[in-house]
Amino acid sequence: MDHDPLPGDHPETGHVSTGALPPDTDVQALVSAGYERYRHLGEGAVAGYIPALAAASPSAFGVCVAGVGGRLFSAGDADQEFAIESISKLFVFALVCHALGHDQARRKLGVNSTGLPFNSVMAIELNADRTMNPLVNAGAIATTSLVPGTTAEEKFESIVAAMSRFAGRRLVMDGGVYESEAATNDRNRGIAHLLDGYGRMYCDPDLATDVYTRQCSVRVSARDLAVMGATLANGGVNPVTGEQAIETSYCKRVLAVLATAGLYEQSGEWLYDVGLPGKSGVAGGIVTVSPGKGGLGTFSPPLDAAGNSVRGQHITRYLSEALGLNLFASAPFA
Ligand code: GLN
């Protein structure tokens, strides 16, 4: 389906439907209560397939909520840094929307959860590693291949600069994580070459995989993730620095893709429980966005079978409910 421009593509003429966070003291009390509620939860296992991540402490746990007014509320290890991993995919997609326009990005990458018909038997048989959307590895490496720049250094600098605008501080790569991943990512290189064969890779596949591995190794904290999420919740303007990190009209596109695929094969259950777009990473981070209200960042390394942080999912579900963030919730007209 081709699309004609709508008023909502131009922020000054479109209306938005959002509310506000509860008062500051309530938000901090609930963030602290959620932290206490889940800090001793023992489920999940730290990711083992990337050697440098296997050494993470299972007890590390941090949470931060950033309001669109720029206020931060945190508990636990909210300043501890870890590799952003798959959460980088969403910010690189945002960058590519900016570089190509969201329609071109959709055409080149896809924005569906499976990309197959409603009654497809193949959809059950295939795993997620296809260029169906920018948040599974195939689509993510294809997305990285579209980033402005010719050399790996130029492309990576475009990515770090873009992610740093979201975080409001200059982010840096963890060299140890990068080397560890680069030495063990034959699978991602294979995916990139396979896509190249299908004409769905937009630069040299090894270069794209290398830049992708670097972007996954960028260090962030739960606090950074909260601010990055709040930027997407705030029409693309970082609520702490006031800098525009992404065009307003692209935020809703990026969030729609997150809602569809941000937690991989558990995205439907996540949406059912939390009612908000979110994105997880294999080092234990999750970023969640409450449009018009704020962003949530969580960090806890033990993961479930799909690779999503166990404590992160629990506390985000708790806070979505307690702070009244679920996008699908309504009260009867009085
Ligand atoms: N760098 C990791 C990989 O490609 C990212 C995976 C993730 O965070 N889920 O395997």
Side-chain angles (χ1 to χ4, degrees):
M1 182 170 86
D2 280 330
H3 299 283
D4 53 332
L6 298 174
D9 286 337
H10 309 286
E12 63 283 5
T13 52
H15 298 286
V16 293
S17 101
T18 48
L21 282 178
D24 288 358
T25 46
D26 295 0
V27 179
Q28 182 57 58
L30 289 164
V31 165
S32 302
Y35 173 77
E36 290 302 331
R37 193 177 167 108
Y38 297 111
R39 64 187 294 193
H40 296 300
L41 198 75
E43 289 163 38
V46 172
Y49 79 104
I50 297 169
L53 300 186
S57 162
S59 61
F61 183 31
V63 55
C64 181
V65 171
V68 291
R71 304 293 293 270
L72 302 183
F73 312 90
S74 59
D77 306 317
D79 288 319
Q80 185 170 323
E81 294 189 4
F82 53 92
I84 189 167
E85 296 296 347
S86 279
I87 303 168
S88 64
K89 294 166 178 170
L90 95 92
F91 298 103
V92 178
F93 177 53
L95 170 62
V96 164
C97 282
H98 192 78
L100 273 71
H102 65 80
D103 251 353
Q104 268 301 321
R106 178 217 306 254
R107 265 188 254 280
K108 288 192 143 66
L109 301 166
V111 293
N112 278 319
S113 51
T114 71
L116 290 164
F118 76 96
N119 57 355
S120 169
V121 175
M122 286 296 280
I124 301 165
E125 297 299 328
L126 290 172
N127 68 39
D129 291 336
R130 287 288 194 122
T131 174
M132 290 159 181
N133 66 65
L135 303 180
V136 292
N137 285 17
I141 300 169
T143 308
T144 298
S145 77
L146 288 167
V147 166
T150 313
T151 62
E153 285 69 29
E154 283 170 9
K155 280 185 186 288
F156 183 59
E157 177 51 32
S158 299
I159 291 172
V160 174
M163 292 204 293
S164 298
R165 280 193 291 277
F166 279 96
R169 73 180 182 101
R170 177 76 192 180
L171 299 175
V172 296
M173 191 185 84
D174 186 318
V177 171
Y178 167 69
E179 275 167 31
S180 178
E181 286 207 34
T184 55
N185 69 354
D186 292 327
R187 186 182 180 95
N188 286 340
R189 273 199 296 275
I191 289 170
H193 280 272
L194 189 62
L195 290 182
D196 201 30
Y198 285 125
R200 297 282 277 179
M201 182 58 51
Y202 307 103
C203 76
D204 175 76
D206 289 324
L207 188 147
T209 310
D210 182 46
V211 177
Y212 167 79
T213 307
R214 294 189 204 197
Q215 83 187 42
C216 287
S217 308
V218 167
R219 299 173 69 93
V220 290
S221 63
R223 183 184 196 280
D224 291 323
L225 292 181
V227 174
M228 294 166 98
T231 300
L232 284 164
N234 189 40
V237 175
N238 183 311
V240 177
T241 64
E243 195 180 357
Q244 182 99 39
I246 174 179
E247 222 173 273
T248 302
S249 68
Y250 294 149
C251 285
K252 62 190 176 200
R253 319 284 179 187
V254 172
L255 296 181
V257 180
L258 281 195
T260 315
L263 275 84
Y264 313 114
E265 61 269 39
Q266 282 175 355
S267 300
E269 279 177 73
W270 166 266
L271 209 54
Y272 194 85
D273 284 334
V274 177
L276 295 167
K279 182 76 204 85
S280 66
V282 74
I286 301 181
V287 63
T288 305
V289 181
S290 175
K293 296 183 180 176
L296 288 76
T298 65
F299 167 58
S300 173
L303 311 175
D304 65 15
N308 300 316
S309 166
V310 176
R311 284 196 197 96
Q313 291 179 80
H314 276 288
I315 193 166
T316 306
R317 173 173 157 270
Y318 171 84
L319 287 174
S320 172
E321 196 66 32
L323 297 171
L325 306 180
N326 192 315
L327 288 172
F328 305 110
S330 63
F333 185 77

